[in-house]
Every structure is written in C-alpha cells, then in structure tokens.
Amino acid sequence: MQRSLKRSFLRIFASGMSISYQYNFNEIESKWQKHWKDSQLYKVIENPSKPKFYALDMFPYPSGAGLHVGHPLGYIASDIVSRFKRLNGFNVLHPMGYDAFGLPAEQYAIQTGQHPAVTTEQNILRFREQLDKMGFCFDWDRQVKTCDMGYYKWTQWIFTLFFKHWYNKNSQKAEKIADLILYFEGNGNLDINAHSGKATIFTAHEWSQFNTIQKEEILNHYRLAFIDETTVNWCEVMGTVLANEEVVNGVSERGGYPVVRKKMKQWSLRITAYADKLLDGLDTIQWSDSIKEIQKNWIGRSEGAEIDFNIEGHSSKIKVFTTRPDTLFGATFMVIAPESELVNSICSESQKSEVLAYAEKAKNRSEIERMVDTKKSGIFTGAYAINPFTKKPIPVWVSDYVLAGYGTGAIMAVPAHDERDFEFAKAFQLDIIPVIKPENAELALPLNEAFSAKDGVCFNSEFLDGLQVKSAIKKAIEEVEKLNIGTKKVNYKLREAGFGRQRYWGEPFPIVFNDSVPQLVNELPVELPKVESYKPTGTGESPLAAVENWVNTPMGKRETDTMPGWAGSSWYFLRYMDPNNNETFASKESLEYWNQVDLYVGGSEHATGHLLYSRFWTKFLNDLGYISWDEPFKRLVNQGMIMGEDGQKMSKRWGNVVNPDDVCEKYGADTLRLYEMFLGPLTDSKPWNTNGIEGVSRFLGKFWRLFFQNETFTVSNDEPSADEFKILHKTIKKVTEDIESMSFNTSVSAFMVCVNELGTLKCNKKAILEPLLMLLAPFAPHITEELWEALGINESIHKAEWPKFNNEYLIENSFNYPISINGKTRTQLEFPIDADIKEIEASVLSNEIVLKWTNGQAPKKVIVVKNRIVNVVI
RNA sequence: GCUCGGGUGGCGGAAUAGGUAGACGCGCAGGACUUAAAAUCCUGUUGGCAGUAAUGCCAGUACGGGUUCGAUUCCCGUCCCGAGCACCA
C-alpha cells in the first residue's frame, strides 16, 4: 500500500482540456490538420546545412471520378518515408501537383461545352479535399499544375531547346544548331557525325546556294525537335486522330468505329539519339528488374550488319539489316516491306499491277486484321538480287511481315535459320539451304522447322565453314566490309517520340510557320486561347485551327497542334524545386540542392512512357548543363493495385469502389493509412477487405488505451523494466529496418506485437510510450500528435528526433535451442549463450526425449550450430 | 511464342548469407463481463490419425526429382497464375 502510494503518477491535461478516454479520431484529425496548416508545419525551404531527401509521388491526373482507396497507397508509403527521414534529420521535399492537361477533360468539354480549365479546376478541388483528409505532409506551396500558364511557359521553353539543338555523336552530346549552321557555312556537312535523319551530303558552297526552305529542310534532319512524317490512328467517322490508348483492338474505344493508319506530318522528338544512354543509365539506378527489362525491350538494341545487295538489271541496291551475317550463304530470297520505295521501281512490268495491288492492300490493313491473320502473305516482284557471297540470283518478294519502320525495311531471308523466313519459304516453295548445324550433330533433312539456335557451326559456307556462329558473324562482317558492300551496324526498336496532338487541351507550340519554315516564338508563354467549340474539325487539325485571329500572326501562321500529355510530366519533378520562379524553370541553387529524386513511388504502367521520357529530358538538360545529373529518379518503387473486395479491378463498372472519404469518416485517416500499409507488401496487388480494417482500428484503440488508467490519462515516470525496454528496442530495430526497406506491412505487425506485449505488462511508462509514439508518428500522424501533446510536449512530434536503437537491451544470456532429430524438431532446451558445444551435445544426448529416439544407439552425428539449432542424426 | 515476376492455412500475408513453417491481422469456435446487446478481454484455430485429456505420431510451403545433417529458401524438369512484348530480321 505504502509503495503504491509512493508511485508517482503524472496526470496531464492538454492545454487545460482533459483528454477523452474515447478515441475520437474525427475530432483529433481535423484538429491537427488545421493546426498543421496554420503553423505551416510542412513548409519546406532549402537549407544547405541539412542533408536533403527528395520523395516524390507520380502526380495524378485529376479525373472527375475522384480518388478511390487504391490511389493513396503509394502516397501513404512515400509520406511515411518522408516523415521518417525528417525525424532522422533530413530536409525532405515531398510535393504534390496535378498532371492537368489531357483527353478526358477535353472529351467532357466536347460533350458539355464546359471549358476544360473549369472542369479541371473543379476536379482538382475535389482531389485536394480528399488528399487533405489523409494527413499527408505535402508542402502545398510548391504545388504545380501542368495547365497553368506559369508552368507550361517552361514546358514550351524546353521545347525550344530541343528545337535549337542537334545530337553530335562525336561529343555524345546535344549541341547548338546555331553552331552547326556556322560549321555548314565553312565546311558543309561531310564530317558531321550526327544522330540525324537522312541528310544528303553538301559542301559549304552548296549550303550557301540553298534557299531558306531548303536550309530548313536540312536542319529539320538534325533538330532534336523536328517535323516528321508519322503514322497516326485516323478515325474517319469521328473525323479525328486518336491516341494509342483510345484505340482498342483496331477500333475506337468510344463508338467502336474503324481506325486506319494514316501518314501525317507532326512534331517528333529525336529520342533515338539517346538510345544508348537510356540503356546504359539503367545500370546506375535502383529500379525493379521488371521495369528495367521493359525499357530494355522497348529500346531493343541489336547488333548486326547492314549489307547492300545488287539487283539484276537495276542500278539501285537493296540495303538490309541482319543480326546473322554468318548465315549469308543461306540467304535464298529477299523480302521488302510494302511501304518501300523499291516496290514500284524494281518490279517487272508483267508483275507491276499485281505487286502494287498487294502493296496497297497491305499498307491499309488495319491493326485488327494484322492481329487476327498472322499467316504469311506476299508476292514476287519479278526482280532478282545477287547474293554477294554465293553470287547466285535470288528472288525479291514483297510481304507485310517485313516492317517498314525497322532497320532498312528490307531483309535477306534465310529460311533454314529463321522461323518467319522458313514459314514464308514453305508457303511459296522457295529454296531452303541450311548453313548452320548443331555442334556435334547433323541436321535432320529436310528441315521441318528453322534451326535458329545461336550455338552452332557453319557449313556450306566456304570460308566460314567450321566456324562457331559468334566468330562467323565477325568474319562475315569483315568480309562484307572488305568487299565494300556493307558495315557493322546497331539497330534499335525505339521509335522517335511523336510529340504532336491534334487536340485543344494541351500546351501550344511556340512555333509559327513562314512559308512552311517553322520559327520559334520568342515571347513565352504562347497562351492557349479560348475556343468556341472543342469538337474535332474533321480535317485532322486541332480545334485551334478554327481560331483565325490566333492562328494568323504578323510573323506567320501558328502551329495548331498541341503537345502530348507527357510533355508536362517529363520535367515536373524539377519545377517542384522552385515552383514560382518566373525567371527560369528552376534556380540553379534549388536544382543543385534538391538534385535527383531519391525515392519515386508510382504505378508501373508508365514504364515505356513517362518514365522513359523523363529520363530522356533529364539527359538532354544535363547535356546542356542546366542540371548536373543525368538520371531523374535514383530509386523507383512501383506500388501494386488495390482490387475490389470481389477480386476485380476497382471500378464504377463493377460497383466495388471504396471511397477513402467514407473510410476516414468511419475509422479515421490514421486507421486508413495503417490498414493500407498492413494489407500486404507495397508492390503487390491485393484485394481490399472491409473486415480487415477492423483489426487495425482495434489496434489503434488498444494503443490509445495504453495511456489511460481508470479511463483517465495516466502516464508513469517510473523506470521501465528490462522486459519493457526489450519490447521497445526490438520494435525500434524492426520498424527502422522495415521503413528503410519499404516493408510497411511487417512494421505494422511489429507495432501490434509491441502494443499487445505492453498491454499484457500494463506498461504505461513514459520512457517507453514516448519513443513508441515517435515510431508510430510517420504511420499515424494524428493520434500520435494528440497523445504527444497530452504528454505535455509543446513542439510537434513531427519535429522530434527518431529514437536511438540500443542493442544492449536485446542481449540475452541464454538461448532456447530447437532440438531436432534427423532435421525434425522434437523438443527445446535452454543453454547459456556462451555454453560450450561439447556440453550442449552431452546434455542433449542425455535428454529423455532424445533418448527415446536414439533408443540406446549412439547417434551417427550431432550438429550444434551455436545459438541456432541442434540436429541429432540417427 | 518470347521475357520478367509469382504459387505457403478458410482469407490477406510472415519467415529465405539453408536452421523451430504459418508471425500479425481477418474469419470461425468457445468462454468472461452484461438483464441483454455493443464495446472490451481471455482461449483455441494447417490437415489427418490416436487419446477423456495433457499430449503423441504422420503428412504438409503447386507437382516430380536432386544437393544437404537439415530445403518454403539452392539446382534440374513439369504444371498453373499474373505482368510486359509480340512477325523488330
């Protein structure tokens, strides 16, 4: 009695108001959200005395549907890391904004006539309201919206940089077009090693004779932003060009109208200049293997040779790309793409009408037809090429299995060693001559499939006979180069990035045309004008084309296409560093301080779009010296999808959408945050489970009640016991490690274990609960702040210092060994931590359960792994 | 077809420099408190067999092999699921 009276109890009343035994999360959360906002707790300013950490979420497109519980998953994870880093002494940049240009807002405008700016703003307000309820530590002063003029001014500015630069393969850098022109004036272009289009060779004198239009045509081949003839998805019924995602299975997503491929002139960015850098850079960043793999495949680098084939009776040649020059002796025919210019020029008179008819039909084949019908089709041109090694004439065919856009649009066909060529040869009874066989075996002839393996030996191949494929490739290229008919060559699947959209709701180009010569507009921004109608013009031009007083300027006619959705998102991570700067896209100092994004969280669906383009723009800006690094995102984590309770994708269509507002209302934001983390590993897809949230909700209730006795807030100043310290430090260790490895589900579990154990011990000691509050603060910022205040601490818990882990509390003096017989655990025995192995062995062998198994026999072997396990082999 | 992931209780998932499989939570069953309910707390919960019970034995991490004293973890083969690419020469 005397002792218990002597125990000192602290009874603390937060700011004169007693803290309720009931955990009123709604009250607590709105109280602190307001408080944090008023006190600008999350305001971030550059502070060179502190190390920085940049945690970024992929900014959302503000759709009309609002957020469902799947959207904030990644935001919660990055929020936890941000808060954790801040508590560990980092100055953390954790911003949010909106990817606000795009199709859905425009579609909505077409239907309702409401200006996209208006509906976008409404949607943003709704998003903001939802985000605010979840207690994120975003610095909203740094918000960016890609559709703001103050933002897209700089998107346009970056475009002007692309326009004003070319890629020099010698320096491996983008350089000024102005300098290139100076060079042309003095030297022509013979010695320029550029990543460019097909520019013809000219001398300095010839250059001086070209007129402005001719000069621009040439420069267009060099510019990194250039006008290109590209294939677009044209929907005749809708009278508009469609984006790839608007075309599903060859028909328009809306209405299901047929879509054809149509050539059109539009802006492109010369991303292929950066193909190698984009590939090599992957080795320097911490991204998931799958995303790296997707980008690798997308870039699709392959090494081989380009070889010219003479055509009998023609002066022109057929240039082909092949990765297997070692099989040249087996090339028995050639195939050119239907789009190839050679189709018309080489085919014999007798074949002409048939060939042209085939080519025409193949060119217009829709995607859907191509997908359904993979049988080989083709037609003989009547022309023969000469195999440069065998000197034999081989027929030239046209077929749509050869793609115009890859390599040279023509191939040498080696049916014996390529499956597609084999199929074609079978269909049209063409010669199949094997030239590679397995190392220690003969090929079974006649072949019933192509032998395409790359580990084999050449035969039937004169000077290549007996060589392994790898060395034969080398030798064949040497020979081709000696004969002056070809050269070593690297090819990429990566296409130039189409940069024009025939749409209204996007960034206007800072371009006017004067006699078809594009010129930069110097005054930025070029403002997006208001229009009467958002409907497609039917001509394939954007609705801007109808705004005559905007299109026609004293300088010339404006470009009426707008930039694609990915323009604004390719550099937004830089703007957050200095979002309100009117002088430059971001100041040198802020760029240098915040530097690369340390952690980027977002969906994997952007693997070949946004994530590739951002890397491209970063490398380009690095070339120009605007930024000092050449990869934007050091570490990338792709959160998984949260599916509906029925296991299907969460969507209005299935009626399985869970709204985070409702969850916050019913359980509180802290519970929502904790539950989303507890569901499973961040990167996995997993279904939502309404029952599951109860468990997390109960946990927070238990946690809250640790601070109460007899329904009164009561925390003791007593010194904790060894057990209590052990529980705390075990949790510090686990949670710290788990946050670093982004294993949030297991840290929530560690909290539950900790609270269960402290509950059993009825521990209410300040020395334990105070550090525990800090551990939980990144996950559940409101409840911890409330209890922190109740402990009488004035400064916010989110400005505190992360608890230090002390291993001494975890040191045990004994270990409970699992004792197994033949690998199966049969009992357990406790031994001192430093017990002698011999003693353990002797003691184990005399144990009665072990004796039962050994049955008096001496064991074959006894394995003792110190402080791990004992295994007795009998 | 090719490439990359992944298959663990009724469910979400823990545990891999090889060392007690199923942490934590849900669900379910039983119990305490209550006139009752809610809330809260306690106990049990991989399957099979045996036993009144404590408990014991057998099987078990998609399937079949292998390496090892010991395999969810490493190796080989098969099946299934998911994602990406898809005539790229």
Side-chain angles (χ1 to χ4, degrees):
Chain A
M1 198 64 197
Q2 193 65 3
R3 282 191 73 86
S4 71
L5 277 177
K6 270 167 82 182
R7 290 180 69 182
S8 53
F9 284 108
L10 267 189
R11 206 165 276 191
I12 295 159
F13 298 101
S15 40
M17 184 182 71
S18 76
I19 180 164
S20 142
Y21 177 63
Q22 286 301 314
Y23 166 38
N24 289 323
F25 46 81
N26 284 326
E27 230 168 77
I28 294 170
E29 288 175 2
S30 51
K31 166 184 163 187
W32 287 108
Q33 281 163 13
K34 181 171 186 305
H35 194 98
W36 296 332
K37 195 175 170 190
D38 293 346
S39 64
Q40 295 208 304
L41 181 66
Y42 302 128
K43 174 120 189 118
V44 183
I45 30 179
E46 286 77 31
N47 177 357
S49 71
K50 271 188 169 182
K52 69 92 193 185
F53 190 87
Y54 188 178
L56 182 65
D57 295 294
M58 287 185 186
F59 64 168
Y61 175 81
S63 75
L67 297 169
H68 64 62
V69 289
H71 294 110
L73 180 68
Y75 306 158
I76 296 170
S78 62
D79 199 64
I80 291 169
V81 174
S82 298
R83 291 171 180 276
F84 170 76
K85 285 284 175 186
R86 198 171 290 141
L87 295 176
N88 279 282
F90 287 84
N91 190 21
V92 178
L93 179 57
H94 185 219
M96 184 48 80
Y98 303 97
D99 189 13
F101 273 133
L103 284 172
E106 185 160 345
Q107 298 281 7
Y108 192 73
I110 291 168
Q111 285 162 17
T112 66
Q114 286 202 70
H115 196 281
V118 174
T119 53
T120 301
E121 200 50 43
Q122 284 167 359
N123 293 346
I124 285 177
L125 285 174
R126 169 93 186 99
F127 265 58
R128 178 62 190 277
E129 203 184 318
Q130 290 188 292
L131 290 171
D132 278 348
K133 282 189 185 157
M134 285 179 263
F136 295 123
C137 63
F138 299 127
D139 176 0
W140 284 105
D141 290 349
R142 288 175 182 263
Q143 155 180 280
V144 303
K145 298 176 195 167
T146 54
C147 65
D148 273 354
M149 225 198 300
Y151 182 88
Y152 72 67
K153 172 183 177 180
W154 298 107
T155 309
Q156 291 173 337
W157 175 77
I158 295 173
F159 169 83
T160 67
L161 297 179
F162 278 111
F163 184 77
K164 288 194 283 195
H165 287 83
W166 63 288
Y167 193 84
N168 186 341
K169 285 203 218 169
N170 288 343
S171 65
Q172 303 261 308
K173 261 188 175 181
E175 294 181 6
K176 290 196 178 99
I177 287 280
D179 292 344
L180 186 67
I181 294 172
L182 285 178
Y183 189 89
F184 286 168
E185 286 167 354
N187 311 281
N189 72 345
L190 182 63
D191 296 323
I192 291 291
N193 186 17
H195 188 100
S196 63
K198 291 173 195 145
T200 46
I201 304 296
F202 54 82
T203 63
H205 177 73
E206 283 168 326
W207 174 260
S208 70
Q209 302 297 305
F210 294 145
N211 64 30
T212 319
I213 294 175
Q214 288 169 318
K215 281 182 178 167
E216 184 51 40
E217 261 169 33
I218 289 164
L219 292 174
N220 188 56
H221 286 303
Y222 290 89
R223 295 187 191 280
L224 289 175
F226 65 108
I227 297 170
D228 197 11
E229 179 121 299
T230 58
T231 309
V232 296
N233 306 304
W234 172 254
C235 179
E236 188 61 53
V237 180
M238 296 169 84
T240 183
V241 173
L242 297 177
N244 283 334
E245 60 269 24
E246 294 176 292
V247 183
V248 178
N249 291 330
V251 296
S252 65
E253 194 190 12
R254 279 159 196 264
Y257 306 118
V259 174
V260 295
R261 299 182 307 153
K262 188 177 168 185
K263 288 260 181 181
M264 206 164 169
K265 282 199 165 182
Q266 62 176 5
W267 289 97
S268 285
L269 295 187
R270 211 177 293 282
I271 188 173
T272 58
Y274 286 85
D276 273 325
K277 284 189 179 182
L278 289 168
L279 207 52
D280 297 343
L282 290 174
D283 294 333
T284 67
I285 48 183
Q286 278 182 68
W287 292 19
S288 74
D289 287 342
S290 73
I291 297 271
K292 286 190 185 183
E293 199 62 32
I294 290 169
Q295 292 208 345
K296 251 180 224 170
N297 290 340
W298 191 258
I299 296 166
R301 180 188 156 101
S302 62
E303 292 180 21
E306 243 173 34
I307 304 170
D308 290 328
F309 282 62
N310 287 319
I311 311 171
E312 272 188 342
H314 277 269
S315 56
S316 51
K317 294 168 191 227
I318 303 178
K319 190 185 274 298
V320 302
F321 172 73
T322 176
T323 55
R324 296 296 301 275
D326 57 312
T327 60
L328 196 42
F329 284 96
T332 53
F333 59 99
M334 308 201 67
V335 187
I336 56 181
E339 291 87 345
S340 170
E341 293 130 35
L342 288 168
V343 171
N344 193 31
S345 64
I346 65 169
C347 69
S348 62
E349 282 308 315
S350 57
Q351 299 283 81
K352 200 153 208 155
S353 60
E354 260 184 276
V355 170
L356 292 183
Y358 172 81
E360 204 49 43
K361 201 177 138 212
K363 269 191 264 185
N364 292 327
R365 264 178 109 195
S366 68
E367 290 293 317
I368 195 155
E369 280 174 281
R370 279 182 170 233
M371 273 192 290
V372 171
D373 177 25
T374 52
K375 267 216 190 85
K376 296 281 179 286
S377 67
I379 189 159
F380 177 47
T381 60
Y384 286 86
I386 306 295
N387 182 318
F389 280 10
T390 64
K391 312 285 185 215
K392 284 184 187 146
I394 54 176
V396 180
W397 286 66
V398 180
S399 171
D400 65 359
Y401 89 88
V402 170
L403 305 174
Y406 182 78
T408 60
I411 62 158
M412 64 175 214
V414 186
H417 304 293
D418 181 281
E419 279 146 42
R420 297 149 302 180
D421 298 346
F422 185 84
E423 208 185 305
F424 194 82
K426 279 282 177 195
F428 297 101
Q429 284 110 49
L430 298 162
D431 290 345
I432 300 173
I433 302 177
V435 291
I436 309 282
K437 58 181 183 182
E439 196 140 355
N440 297 312
E442 292 300 317
L443 287 173
L445 297 175
L447 292 174
N448 41 29
E449 59 176 352
F451 176 70
S452 54
K454 278 196 169 181
D455 45 356
V457 186
C458 295
F459 71 109
N460 276 345
S461 299
E462 299 176 17
F463 59 90
L464 296 177
D465 280 354
L467 287 177
Q468 301 271 349
V469 166
K470 219 177 152 188
S471 36
I473 289 174
K474 232 176 127 188
K475 183 90 186 267
I477 293 176
E478 277 169 25
E479 187 65 20
V480 160
E481 285 178 343
K482 207 158 71 188
L483 293 171
N484 216 8
I485 54 165
T487 152
K488 197 170 168 173
K489 169 91 187 183
V490 178
N491 246 318
Y492 302 90
K493 279 203 256 180
L494 186 67
R495 291 285 101 86
E496 302 305 3
F499 198 64
R501 294 294 124 98
Q502 296 69 39
R503 298 287 178 174
Y504 170 73
W505 190 230
E507 300 87 348
F509 282 86
I511 289 280
V512 291
F513 289 98
N514 218 323
D515 277 342
S516 86
V517 175
Q519 283 173 357
L520 289 178
V521 175
N522 291 320
E523 283 290 296
L524 295 182
V526 172
E527 194 178 342
L528 183 63
K530 287 230 174 358
V531 297
E532 294 297 317
S533 160
Y534 310 96
K535 288 203 174 67
T537 53
T539 61
E541 286 180 297
S542 101
L544 287 175
V547 193
E548 284 183 26
N549 61 352
W550 182 78
V551 173
N552 298 306
T553 79
M555 288 171 64
K557 265 178 142 356
R558 287 192 195 276
E559 171 60 77
T560 58
D561 277 8
T562 54
M563 298 185 198
W566 55 269
S569 61
S570 293
W571 72 282
Y572 76 110
F573 44 92
L574 301 175
R575 188 62 176 173
Y576 282 136
M577 299 177 186
D578 192 9
N580 301 311
N581 198 322
N582 286 322
E583 306 303 313
T584 172
F585 70 107
S587 74
K588 201 90 192 155
E589 301 76 55
S590 62
L591 286 164
E592 219 24 69
Y593 179 70
W594 293 113
N595 218 274
Q596 285 167 292
V597 173
D598 295 283
L599 173 67
Y600 195 28
V601 180
S604 56
E605 66 272 20
H606 300 105
T608 56
H610 162 63
L611 288 170
L612 195 64
Y613 298 132
S614 299
R615 295 183 60 222
F616 165 39
W617 285 39
T618 298
K619 287 175 189 301
F620 173 67
L621 291 172
N622 172 251
D623 276 0
L624 269 49
Y626 287 106
I627 54 178
S628 64
W629 62 94
D630 71 347
E631 284 292 343
F633 315 122
K634 260 209 270 194
R635 183 175 177 203
L636 171 72
V637 173
N638 304 114
Q639 87 272 20
M641 233 194 317
I642 294 186
M643 267 111 48
E645 283 196 86
D646 51 5
Q648 302 200 80
K649 199 173 158 180
M650 215 174 257
S651 135
K652 255 192 192 156
R653 198 171 144 198
W654 307 116
N656 59 1
V657 174
V658 181
N659 187 321
D661 300 350
D662 298 341
V663 180
C664 285
E665 182 64 32
K666 189 160 176 209
Y667 295 99
D670 284 339
T671 295
L672 172 68
R673 292 167 62 107
L674 226 38
Y675 179 58
E676 294 220 359
M677 292 300 99
F678 186 61
L679 266 177
L682 181 64
T683 52
D684 285 8
S685 282
K686 55 242 156 184
W688 182 266
N689 178 343
T690 301
N691 286 329
I693 200 166
E694 299 278 353
V696 174
S697 174
R698 261 174 233 155
F699 157 73
L700 279 185
K702 270 191 227 175
F703 177 72
W704 179 262
R705 286 191 296 275
L706 278 180
F707 294 76
F708 290 82
Q709 271 185 9
N710 300 323
E711 309 204 351
T712 309
F713 186 84
T714 312
V715 173
S716 142
N717 275 331
D718 288 354
E719 178 72 7
S721 67
D723 276 349
E724 289 165 340
F725 271 129
K726 190 176 156 190
I727 293 166
L728 173 67
H729 282 266
K730 190 174 74 177
T731 310
I732 296 176
K733 182 169 194 270
K734 178 75 179 149
V735 170
T736 307
E737 286 170 359
D738 282 353
I739 295 178
E740 307 242 348
S741 62
M742 313 238 347
S743 176
F744 303 107
N745 54 329
T746 50
S747 38
V748 175
S749 153
F751 283 124
M752 288 173 168
V753 172
C754 174
V755 168
N756 286 344
E757 289 176 350
L758 292 179
T760 308
L761 296 176
K762 301 218 182 318
C763 170
N764 70 336
K765 293 174 184 153
K766 197 177 175 198
I768 299 296
L769 297 184
E770 194 181 302
L772 182 58
L773 276 176
M774 281 186 266
L775 292 181
L776 190 61
F779 294 80
H782 310 87
I783 188 176
T784 49
E785 184 81 302
E786 178 75 5
L787 291 166
W788 187 256
E789 185 192 51
L791 285 179
I793 306 166
N794 282 326
E795 184 89 283
S796 167
I797 190 169
H798 304 300
K799 290 186 157 181
E801 209 177 301
W802 192 251
K804 292 266 171 303
F805 166 65
N806 186 344
N807 197 43
E808 273 171 37
Y809 294 112
L810 299 194
I811 292 171
E812 306 262 2
N813 43 29
S814 68
F815 178 78
N816 198 19
Y817 282 82
I819 311 298
S820 53
I821 314 289
N822 288 342
K824 280 210 160 80
T825 310
R826 296 299 173 182
T827 186
Q828 296 178 358
L829 286 173
E830 190 144 335
F831 294 104
I833 214 93
D834 52 358
D836 186 71
I837 287 183
K838 287 276 166 232
E839 280 170 34
I840 294 173
E841 196 177 315
S843 178
V844 165
L845 289 179
S846 60
N847 174 274
E848 74 174 302
I849 292 168
V850 176
L851 283 172
K852 197 176 89 186
W853 286 93
T854 53
N855 204 12
Q857 307 284 307
K860 279 191 192 147
K861 210 177 194 180
V862 179
I863 288 136
V864 180
V865 182
K866 214 159 191 196
N867 298 323
R868 265 262 146 103
I869 201 170
V870 176
N871 191 15
V872 180
V873 186
I874 55 172

